[in-house]
Amino acid sequence: LYSNLAYTFNRKYTLSGSYRTDASNLITDDPKYRYAPLLSAGIGWQLSREDFFKDISWVNQLNVRATYGFNGNVDKSTAFMPLIAVSGAPNIYTNELIASISRYGNSTLRWEKTGTWNLGLDYVLFGNKLFGKVDLYNKRGKDLIAPFSIPAANGTISQKLNQAAMTNKGIELEIGSIQNIKDKAIS
């Protein structure tokens, strides 16, 4: 299920939101744990449409925006139930197919989630000759799948579990320009 809603007031102020839920059977066979509500919300302000910007001729467009939301991910390298893999060819000595455990199963498997804050500025300047954006972001992943050491009595010494977290912070810059070359025939 996916929904997206946005409303712009007075061609200057925008409020947006989205909701998504996925019922993946890669997480569990219990329907009450399959669904992962993933939400996001954002606001935007078109500063260049304000009256106090009308006299600034070198600014064609200037927008400020802020968003926050969650993304989800299913790591397909693990499974909630034990799985076996059967060899494609018989054993050369016994002429029997061989099976091995490919995944030991993780009954506590759940969605990996990443929460993201983003503050951005979009600009078009100098008669539409220079454009781009600046974004500040902070991403925090939780319940990430990572291998952990476990006692060998479990049949393996390593198991992939939702036990990791990671934070990414940064700045993204985008700069573009359109310049006419040879009498506006090429830009």
Side-chain angles (χ1 to χ4, degrees):
L1 175 68
Y2 177 77
S3 66
N4 191 13
L5 179 66
Y7 178 74
T8 301
F9 176 73
N10 204 19
R11 298 180 62 206
K12 297 178 192 175
Y13 316 104
T14 301
L15 180 63
S16 64
S18 69
Y19 175 84
R20 178 181 179 143
T21 185
D22 289 294
S24 176
N25 61 358
L26 296 171
I27 297 291
T28 180
D29 58 353
D30 188 344
K32 68 181 177 183
Y33 295 116
R34 281 188 197 161
Y35 293 92
L38 305 169
L39 308 167
S40 68
I43 58 172
W45 180 19
Q46 295 190 30
L47 281 166
S48 55
R49 292 188 182 266
E50 295 290 350
D51 290 337
F52 58 85
F53 255 91
K54 298 294 182 198
D55 295 332
I56 305 174
S57 61
W58 57 274
V59 176
N60 302 102
Q61 185 177 344
L62 189 62
N63 303 329
V64 178
R65 56 190 157 70
T67 59
Y68 180 72
F70 277 96
N71 291 327
N73 183 54
V74 176
D75 185 334
K76 294 180 185 176
S77 70
T78 187
F80 67 94
M81 296 180 70
L83 299 175
I84 63 169
V86 179
S87 64
N91 181 290
I92 60 171
Y93 301 111
T94 64
N95 205 28
E96 299 288 330
L97 292 175
I98 298 172
S100 62
I101 298 173
S102 64
R103 298 200 176 65
Y104 284 86
N106 175 359
S107 61
T108 63
L109 186 63
R110 58 193 176 276
W111 286 85
E112 295 179 308
K113 288 188 176 179
T114 302
T116 303
W117 280 100
N118 188 69
L119 299 172
L121 177 75
D122 305 314
Y123 60 89
V124 179
L125 308 172
F126 308 115
N128 299 319
K129 298 284 187 195
L130 183 66
F131 56 88
K133 63 183 181 176
V134 179
D135 285 293
L136 302 171
Y137 65 88
N138 185 343
K139 295 181 181 182
R140 170 120 170 62
K142 66 179 186 175
D143 294 333
L144 303 178
I145 299 286
F148 281 86
S149 297
I150 60 174
N154 292 304
T156 183
I157 59 170
S158 178
Q159 175 71 5
K160 290 184 175 183
L161 302 171
N162 294 91
Q163 297 290 325
M166 182 175 11
T167 300
N168 295 317
K169 298 176 183 180
I171 300 172
E172 291 183 359
L173 302 172
E174 180 180 311
I175 299 172
S177 179
I178 296 176
Q179 300 296 321
N180 291 323
I181 303 170
K182 194 176 177 183
D183 301 324
K184 298 184 182 182
I186 300 172
S187 65

